[in-house]
Amino acid sequence: MGYVLKLRQQVGHQPLVVVGAAVLATNAVGEIALVKRIDNHCWGLPAGSTEPGETTEATAQRELREETGLTVTDVQLVQVFSGPAMHYQYPNGDVIDSVTILYRGMVTGGTLVTTTDETAGAAFFALDQLPQPLTPLTAYMLSRLQA
């Protein structure tokens, strides 16, 4: 059980400030990997919360591997996102104010896995042909990159 899930046992659905990472994992033709989440049925960047003692770079790489089966060996910082637009309530009622560090990396290995215990799909998409709906946090982060 992860750090945030353990906290949830203590605080219930109360808002938590959660630090995490997401990754723009690109393939050889510049498409990005997205996953379709089971909890809200939306497409989003591979992402998750940072565990104690873990760097956010390692979080980005771990979440990509867990959610897609893919690996990136060199991630580069893109931007840090926080504030009111990063407030989110999960379908189960859990509330977070996310501080998400977004990285970019070229896929260097692995085999795309389309389903996991958290995802109902995974695929590569061109930035001008993204699937809908996107998770609110992914939509916000991608919109800020194109602004």
Side-chain angles (χ1 to χ4, degrees):
M1 176 179 295
Y3 176 70
V4 173
L5 292 177
K6 288 179 184 174
L7 283 176
R8 285 282 171 216
Q9 292 178 335
Q10 302 297 315
V11 302
H13 299 304
Q14 291 181 38
L16 291 176
V17 175
V18 177
V19 176
V23 61
L24 287 164
T26 57
N27 63 14
V29 295
E31 299 168 319
I32 63 169
L34 294 177
V35 295
K36 188 168 187 180
R37 296 179 55 91
I38 289 174
D39 62 354
N40 62 12
H41 310 290
C42 295
W43 288 90
L45 292 167
S49 57
T50 301
E51 295 294 325
E54 183 179 46
T55 67
T56 55
E57 293 93 338
T59 301
Q61 292 170 315
R62 174 179 53 78
E63 290 292 339
L64 178 68
R65 186 177 58 257
E66 288 176 0
E67 295 180 3
T68 69
L70 301 173
T71 58
V72 291
T73 54
D74 183 32
V75 293
Q76 301 297 315
L77 176 66
V78 174
Q79 191 169 337
V80 178
F81 294 91
S82 62
M86 297 298 287
H87 179 86
Y88 181 71
Q89 182 170 355
Y90 288 94
N92 70 356
D94 290 350
V95 178
I96 63 167
D97 281 298
S98 179
V99 178
T100 300
I101 295 89
L102 180 62
Y103 293 94
R104 179 185 314 270
M106 177 69 72
V107 173
T108 56
T111 302
L112 186 65
V113 174
T114 56
T115 59
T116 69
D117 60 342
E118 296 179 49
T119 62
F124 285 96
F125 298 93
L127 283 172
D128 62 352
Q129 297 178 348
L130 296 175
Q132 297 298 319
L134 292 173
T135 68
L137 301 184
T138 291
Y140 175 72
M141 288 187 288
L142 293 177
S143 74
R144 301 303 300 158
L145 294 180
Q146 297 171 357

mmCIF file of all heavy atoms in Angstrom, residues 102-139:
data_model
loop_
_atom_site.group_PDB
_atom_site.id
_atom_site.type_symbol
_atom_site.label_atom_id
_atom_site.label_comp_id
_atom_site.label_asym_id
_atom_site.label_seq_id
_atom_site.Cartn_x
_atom_site.Cartn_y
_atom_site.Cartn_z
ATOM 1 N N LEU A 102 6.039 17.798 -14.090
ATOM 2 C CA LEU A 102 5.912 17.176 -15.405
ATOM 3 C C LEU A 102 7.285 17.041 -16.046
ATOM 4 O O LEU A 102 8.044 18.010 -16.119
ATOM 5 C CB LEU A 102 4.986 18.007 -16.295
ATOM 6 C CG LEU A 102 4.761 17.480 -17.712
ATOM 7 C CD1 LEU A 102 4.098 16.096 -17.702
ATOM 8 C CD2 LEU A 102 3.917 18.471 -18.514
ATOM 9 N N TYR A 103 7.570 15.834 -16.500
ATOM 10 C CA TYR A 103 8.821 15.528 -17.192
ATOM 11 C C TYR A 103 8.510 15.094 -18.620
ATOM 12 O O TYR A 103 7.393 14.720 -18.950
ATOM 13 C CB TYR A 103 9.569 14.390 -16.479
ATOM 14 C CG TYR A 103 10.070 14.783 -15.120
ATOM 15 C CD1 TYR A 103 9.313 14.521 -13.978
ATOM 16 C CD2 TYR A 103 11.290 15.417 -14.967
ATOM 17 C CE1 TYR A 103 9.780 14.884 -12.724
ATOM 18 C CE2 TYR A 103 11.759 15.789 -13.713
ATOM 19 C CZ TYR A 103 10.997 15.512 -12.604
ATOM 20 O OH TYR A 103 11.453 15.884 -11.361
ATOM 21 N N ARG A 104 9.552 15.137 -19.440
ATOM 22 C CA ARG A 104 9.476 14.647 -20.815
ATOM 23 C C ARG A 104 10.598 13.637 -20.997
ATOM 24 O O ARG A 104 11.704 13.828 -20.476
ATOM 25 C CB ARG A 104 9.655 15.797 -21.801
ATOM 26 C CG ARG A 104 9.608 15.398 -23.264
ATOM 27 C CD ARG A 104 9.914 16.566 -24.194
ATOM 28 N NE ARG A 104 9.224 17.783 -23.849
ATOM 29 C CZ ARG A 104 8.015 18.140 -24.303
ATOM 30 N NH1 ARG A 104 7.355 17.342 -25.108
ATOM 31 N NH2 ARG A 104 7.478 19.294 -23.947
ATOM 32 N N GLY A 105 10.308 12.566 -21.743
ATOM 33 C CA GLY A 105 11.347 11.581 -22.027
ATOM 34 C C GLY A 105 10.989 10.762 -23.248
ATOM 35 O O GLY A 105 9.810 10.561 -23.560
ATOM 36 N N MET A 106 12.008 10.307 -23.948
ATOM 37 C CA MET A 106 11.830 9.437 -25.109
ATOM 38 C C MET A 106 11.741 7.996 -24.619
ATOM 39 O O MET A 106 12.549 7.565 -23.786
ATOM 40 C CB MET A 106 13.015 9.594 -26.065
ATOM 41 C CG MET A 106 12.966 8.680 -27.274
ATOM 42 S SD MET A 106 11.664 9.096 -28.448
ATOM 43 C CE MET A 106 12.315 10.586 -29.150
ATOM 44 N N VAL A 107 10.762 7.250 -25.113
ATOM 45 C CA VAL A 107 10.626 5.847 -24.746
ATOM 46 C C VAL A 107 11.846 5.094 -25.254
ATOM 47 O O VAL A 107 12.215 5.203 -26.429
ATOM 48 C CB VAL A 107 9.325 5.247 -25.321
ATOM 49 C CG1 VAL A 107 9.280 3.745 -25.089
ATOM 50 C CG2 VAL A 107 8.108 5.918 -24.698
ATOM 51 N N THR A 108 12.484 4.352 -24.348
ATOM 52 C CA THR A 108 13.700 3.627 -24.702
ATOM 53 C C THR A 108 13.548 2.121 -24.582
ATOM 54 O O THR A 108 14.454 1.383 -24.969
ATOM 55 C CB THR A 108 14.872 4.076 -23.816
ATOM 56 O OG1 THR A 108 14.503 3.889 -22.443
ATOM 57 C CG2 THR A 108 15.228 5.529 -24.069
ATOM 58 N N GLY A 109 12.441 1.651 -24.043
ATOM 59 C CA GLY A 109 12.290 0.210 -23.886
ATOM 60 C C GLY A 109 10.913 -0.163 -23.385
ATOM 61 O O GLY A 109 10.049 0.679 -23.173
ATOM 62 N N GLY A 110 10.756 -1.456 -23.208
ATOM 63 C CA GLY A 110 9.489 -1.990 -22.726
ATOM 64 C C GLY A 110 8.549 -2.304 -23.868
ATOM 65 O O GLY A 110 8.829 -2.010 -25.033
ATOM 66 N N THR A 111 7.444 -2.897 -23.516
ATOM 67 C CA THR A 111 6.377 -3.226 -24.465
ATOM 68 C C THR A 111 5.089 -2.628 -23.935
ATOM 69 O O THR A 111 4.767 -2.808 -22.754
ATOM 70 C CB THR A 111 6.228 -4.758 -24.604
ATOM 71 O OG1 THR A 111 7.484 -5.296 -25.039
ATOM 72 C CG2 THR A 111 5.143 -5.110 -25.597
ATOM 73 N N LEU A 112 4.362 -1.909 -24.780
ATOM 74 C CA LEU A 112 3.140 -1.236 -24.350
ATOM 75 C C LEU A 112 2.129 -2.254 -23.830
ATOM 76 O O LEU A 112 1.735 -3.177 -24.535
ATOM 77 C CB LEU A 112 2.538 -0.433 -25.504
ATOM 78 C CG LEU A 112 1.343 0.438 -25.150
ATOM 79 C CD1 LEU A 112 1.740 1.555 -24.184
ATOM 80 C CD2 LEU A 112 0.744 1.037 -26.413
ATOM 81 N N VAL A 113 1.741 -2.078 -22.577
ATOM 82 C CA VAL A 113 0.725 -2.902 -21.922
ATOM 83 C C VAL A 113 -0.540 -2.062 -21.885
ATOM 84 O O VAL A 113 -0.517 -0.923 -21.412
ATOM 85 C CB VAL A 113 1.163 -3.268 -20.488
ATOM 86 C CG1 VAL A 113 0.061 -3.998 -19.749
ATOM 87 C CG2 VAL A 113 2.443 -4.082 -20.513
ATOM 88 N N THR A 114 -1.643 -2.605 -22.381
ATOM 89 C CA THR A 114 -2.840 -1.775 -22.491
ATOM 90 C C THR A 114 -3.743 -1.812 -21.266
ATOM 91 O O THR A 114 -4.570 -0.923 -21.102
ATOM 92 C CB THR A 114 -3.657 -2.163 -23.737
ATOM 93 O OG1 THR A 114 -3.973 -3.556 -23.675
ATOM 94 C CG2 THR A 114 -2.870 -1.863 -25.005
ATOM 95 N N THR A 115 -3.620 -2.819 -20.417
ATOM 96 C CA THR A 115 -4.457 -2.847 -19.214
ATOM 97 C C THR A 115 -3.621 -3.232 -17.996
ATOM 98 O O THR A 115 -2.736 -4.070 -18.071
ATOM 99 C CB THR A 115 -5.633 -3.838 -19.339
ATOM 100 O OG1 THR A 115 -5.115 -5.145 -19.585
ATOM 101 C CG2 THR A 115 -6.586 -3.437 -20.445
ATOM 102 N N THR A 116 -3.934 -2.562 -16.886
ATOM 103 C CA THR A 116 -3.314 -2.878 -15.597
ATOM 104 C C THR A 116 -4.419 -2.798 -14.549
ATOM 105 O O THR A 116 -5.591 -2.582 -14.896
ATOM 106 C CB THR A 116 -2.196 -1.864 -15.244
ATOM 107 O OG1 THR A 116 -2.798 -0.592 -14.959
ATOM 108 C CG2 THR A 116 -1.172 -1.731 -16.372
ATOM 109 N N ASP A 117 -4.054 -2.879 -13.278
ATOM 110 C CA ASP A 117 -5.071 -2.749 -12.232
ATOM 111 C C ASP A 117 -5.605 -1.319 -12.112
ATOM 112 O O ASP A 117 -6.627 -1.090 -11.487
ATOM 113 C CB ASP A 117 -4.548 -3.246 -10.882
ATOM 114 C CG ASP A 117 -3.324 -2.493 -10.395
ATOM 115 O OD1 ASP A 117 -2.656 -1.820 -11.202
ATOM 116 O OD2 ASP A 117 -3.029 -2.578 -9.191
ATOM 117 N N GLU A 118 -4.925 -0.336 -12.744
ATOM 118 C CA GLU A 118 -5.371 1.056 -12.710
ATOM 119 C C GLU A 118 -5.878 1.559 -14.061
ATOM 120 O O GLU A 118 -6.496 2.619 -14.125
ATOM 121 C CB GLU A 118 -4.212 1.971 -12.288
ATOM 122 C CG GLU A 118 -3.682 1.753 -10.900
ATOM 123 C CD GLU A 118 -2.525 2.692 -10.591
ATOM 124 O OE1 GLU A 118 -2.659 3.905 -10.825
ATOM 125 O OE2 GLU A 118 -1.483 2.206 -10.124
ATOM 126 N N THR A 119 -5.570 0.832 -15.132
ATOM 127 C CA THR A 119 -5.855 1.344 -16.467
ATOM 128 C C THR A 119 -6.654 0.359 -17.314
ATOM 129 O O THR A 119 -6.504 -0.853 -17.194
ATOM 130 C CB THR A 119 -4.550 1.686 -17.212
ATOM 131 O OG1 THR A 119 -3.779 0.494 -17.373
ATOM 132 C CG2 THR A 119 -3.734 2.727 -16.453
ATOM 133 N N ALA A 120 -7.489 0.939 -18.188
ATOM 134 C CA ALA A 120 -8.291 0.144 -19.113
ATOM 135 C C ALA A 120 -7.791 0.299 -20.544
ATOM 136 O O ALA A 120 -8.397 -0.216 -21.466
ATOM 137 C CB ALA A 120 -9.757 0.561 -19.032
ATOM 138 N N GLY A 121 -6.693 1.007 -20.712
ATOM 139 C CA GLY A 121 -6.131 1.198 -22.035
ATOM 140 C C GLY A 121 -4.871 2.031 -21.968
ATOM 141 O O GLY A 121 -4.652 2.766 -21.008
ATOM 142 N N ALA A 122 -4.051 1.899 -22.997
ATOM 143 C CA ALA A 122 -2.852 2.718 -23.150
ATOM 144 C C ALA A 122 -2.527 2.768 -24.633
ATOM 145 O O ALA A 122 -2.649 1.759 -25.331
ATOM 146 C CB ALA A 122 -1.680 2.142 -22.366
ATOM 147 N N ALA A 123 -2.146 3.947 -25.111
ATOM 148 C CA ALA A 123 -1.831 4.112 -26.528
ATOM 149 C C ALA A 123 -1.044 5.399 -26.715
ATOM 150 O O ALA A 123 -0.980 6.243 -25.812
ATOM 151 C CB ALA A 123 -3.118 4.155 -27.359
ATOM 152 N N PHE A 124 -0.465 5.535 -27.899
ATOM 153 C CA PHE A 124 0.228 6.759 -28.277
ATOM 154 C C PHE A 124 -0.689 7.628 -29.118
ATOM 155 O O PHE A 124 -1.441 7.120 -29.955
ATOM 156 C CB PHE A 124 1.494 6.434 -29.079
ATOM 157 C CG PHE A 124 2.619 5.920 -28.239
ATOM 158 C CD1 PHE A 124 2.835 4.557 -28.101
ATOM 159 C CD2 PHE A 124 3.470 6.795 -27.580
ATOM 160 C CE1 PHE A 124 3.879 4.080 -27.332
ATOM 161 C CE2 PHE A 124 4.515 6.334 -26.807
ATOM 162 C CZ PHE A 124 4.727 4.970 -26.682
ATOM 163 N N PHE A 125 -0.601 8.949 -28.892
ATOM 164 C CA PHE A 125 -1.442 9.906 -29.613
ATOM 165 C C PHE A 125 -0.619 11.126 -30.015
ATOM 166 O O PHE A 125 0.231 11.587 -29.247
ATOM 167 C CB PHE A 125 -2.604 10.380 -28.730
ATOM 168 C CG PHE A 125 -3.531 9.283 -28.321
ATOM 169 C CD1 PHE A 125 -3.339 8.622 -27.118
ATOM 170 C CD2 PHE A 125 -4.593 8.911 -29.134
ATOM 171 C CE1 PHE A 125 -4.193 7.600 -26.727
ATOM 172 C CE2 PHE A 125 -5.450 7.885 -28.752
ATOM 173 C CZ PHE A 125 -5.250 7.229 -27.546
ATOM 174 N N ALA A 126 -0.937 11.676 -31.185
ATOM 175 C CA ALA A 126 -0.367 12.958 -31.588
ATOM 176 C C ALA A 126 -1.015 14.040 -30.736
ATOM 177 O O ALA A 126 -2.191 13.932 -30.357
ATOM 178 C CB ALA A 126 -0.642 13.211 -33.066
ATOM 179 N N LEU A 127 -0.262 15.093 -30.429
ATOM 180 C CA LEU A 127 -0.800 16.164 -29.590
ATOM 181 C C LEU A 127 -2.014 16.846 -30.207
ATOM 182 O O LEU A 127 -2.852 17.391 -29.484
ATOM 183 C CB LEU A 127 0.285 17.205 -29.291
ATOM 184 C CG LEU A 127 1.294 16.786 -28.220
ATOM 185 C CD1 LEU A 127 2.435 17.783 -28.134
ATOM 186 C CD2 LEU A 127 0.624 16.624 -26.868
ATOM 187 N N ASP A 128 -2.156 16.808 -31.518
ATOM 188 C CA ASP A 128 -3.323 17.419 -32.156
ATOM 189 C C ASP A 128 -4.446 16.419 -32.407
ATOM 190 O O ASP A 128 -5.434 16.740 -33.062
ATOM 191 C CB ASP A 128 -2.929 18.140 -33.452
ATOM 192 C CG ASP A 128 -2.353 17.208 -34.502
ATOM 193 O OD1 ASP A 128 -2.099 16.009 -34.210
ATOM 194 O OD2 ASP A 128 -2.150 17.666 -35.642
ATOM 195 N N GLN A 129 -4.315 15.197 -31.878
ATOM 196 C CA GLN A 129 -5.348 14.167 -32.035
ATOM 197 C C GLN A 129 -5.546 13.404 -30.728
ATOM 198 O O GLN A 129 -5.599 12.171 -30.714
ATOM 199 C CB GLN A 129 -4.971 13.207 -33.158
ATOM 200 C CG GLN A 129 -4.892 13.864 -34.511
ATOM 201 C CD GLN A 129 -4.475 12.893 -35.609
ATOM 202 O OE1 GLN A 129 -4.033 11.787 -35.349
ATOM 203 N NE2 GLN A 129 -4.630 13.321 -36.845
ATOM 204 N N LEU A 130 -5.687 14.136 -29.638
ATOM 205 C CA LEU A 130 -5.824 13.511 -28.329
ATOM 206 C C LEU A 130 -7.214 12.917 -28.144
ATOM 207 O O LEU A 130 -8.209 13.489 -28.598
ATOM 208 C CB LEU A 130 -5.537 14.534 -27.231
ATOM 209 C CG LEU A 130 -4.115 15.088 -27.215
ATOM 210 C CD1 LEU A 130 -3.994 16.180 -26.157
ATOM 211 C CD2 LEU A 130 -3.097 13.984 -26.977
ATOM 212 N N PRO A 131 -7.309 11.785 -27.447
ATOM 213 C CA PRO A 131 -8.614 11.179 -27.180
ATOM 214 C C PRO A 131 -9.379 12.000 -26.158
ATOM 215 O O PRO A 131 -8.798 12.795 -25.416
ATOM 216 C CB PRO A 131 -8.250 9.801 -26.625
ATOM 217 C CG PRO A 131 -6.943 10.040 -25.922
ATOM 218 C CD PRO A 131 -6.219 11.048 -26.791
ATOM 219 N N GLN A 132 -10.660 11.801 -26.099
ATOM 220 C CA GLN A 132 -11.525 12.485 -25.136
ATOM 221 C C GLN A 132 -12.333 11.437 -24.386
ATOM 222 O O GLN A 132 -12.643 10.402 -24.945
ATOM 223 C CB GLN A 132 -12.447 13.470 -25.849
ATOM 224 C CG GLN A 132 -11.724 14.601 -26.557
ATOM 225 C CD GLN A 132 -10.930 15.490 -25.622
ATOM 226 O OE1 GLN A 132 -11.387 15.824 -24.535
ATOM 227 N NE2 GLN A 132 -9.723 15.870 -26.024
ATOM 228 N N PRO A 133 -12.696 11.702 -23.168
ATOM 229 C CA PRO A 133 -12.307 12.872 -22.386
ATOM 230 C C PRO A 133 -10.924 12.678 -21.773
ATOM 231 O O PRO A 133 -10.503 11.556 -21.506
ATOM 232 C CB PRO A 133 -13.381 12.939 -21.303
ATOM 233 C CG PRO A 133 -13.760 11.505 -21.074
ATOM 234 C CD PRO A 133 -13.647 10.846 -22.433
ATOM 235 N N LEU A 134 -10.250 13.799 -21.528
ATOM 236 C CA LEU A 134 -8.994 13.800 -20.786
ATOM 237 C C LEU A 134 -9.288 14.046 -19.312
ATOM 238 O O LEU A 134 -10.273 14.706 -18.982
ATOM 239 C CB LEU A 134 -8.070 14.917 -21.290
ATOM 240 C CG LEU A 134 -7.506 14.777 -22.698
ATOM 241 C CD1 LEU A 134 -6.760 16.041 -23.087
ATOM 242 C CD2 LEU A 134 -6.597 13.561 -22.821
ATOM 243 N N THR A 135 -8.430 13.542 -18.433
ATOM 244 C CA THR A 135 -8.577 13.883 -17.021
ATOM 245 C C THR A 135 -8.424 15.396 -16.885
ATOM 246 O O THR A 135 -7.681 16.019 -17.658
ATOM 247 C CB THR A 135 -7.518 13.191 -16.134
ATOM 248 O OG1 THR A 135 -6.238 13.723 -16.429
ATOM 249 C CG2 THR A 135 -7.524 11.686 -16.293
ATOM 250 N N PRO A 136 -9.109 16.012 -15.943
ATOM 251 C CA PRO A 136 -8.989 17.465 -15.792
ATOM 252 C C PRO A 136 -7.545 17.936 -15.583
ATOM 253 O O PRO A 136 -7.143 18.963 -16.137
ATOM 254 C CB PRO A 136 -9.854 17.776 -14.567
ATOM 255 C CG PRO A 136 -10.834 16.660 -14.507
ATOM 256 C CD PRO A 136 -10.099 15.450 -15.013
ATOM 257 N N LEU A 137 -6.756 17.191 -14.819
ATOM 258 C CA LEU A 137 -5.387 17.619 -14.559
ATOM 259 C C LEU A 137 -4.531 17.510 -15.823
ATOM 260 O O LEU A 137 -3.736 18.402 -16.122
ATOM 261 C CB LEU A 137 -4.772 16.823 -13.409
ATOM 262 C CG LEU A 137 -5.505 16.916 -12.064
ATOM 263 C CD1 LEU A 137 -4.748 16.162 -10.976
ATOM 264 C CD2 LEU A 137 -5.755 18.352 -11.653
ATOM 265 N N THR A 138 -4.696 16.437 -16.579
ATOM 266 C CA THR A 138 -3.958 16.288 -17.845
ATOM 267 C C THR A 138 -4.370 17.374 -18.821
ATOM 268 O O THR A 138 -3.516 18.000 -19.464
ATOM 269 C CB THR A 138 -4.187 14.894 -18.461
ATOM 270 O OG1 THR A 138 -3.549 13.916 -17.631
ATOM 271 C CG2 THR A 138 -3.627 14.793 -19.865
ATOM 272 N N ALA A 139 -5.665 17.634 -18.934
ATOM 273 C CA ALA A 139 -6.142 18.676 -19.853
ATOM 274 C C ALA A 139 -5.529 20.022 -19.501
ATOM 275 O O ALA A 139 -5.085 20.767 -20.383
ATOM 276 C CB ALA A 139 -7.666 18.742 -19.823
#
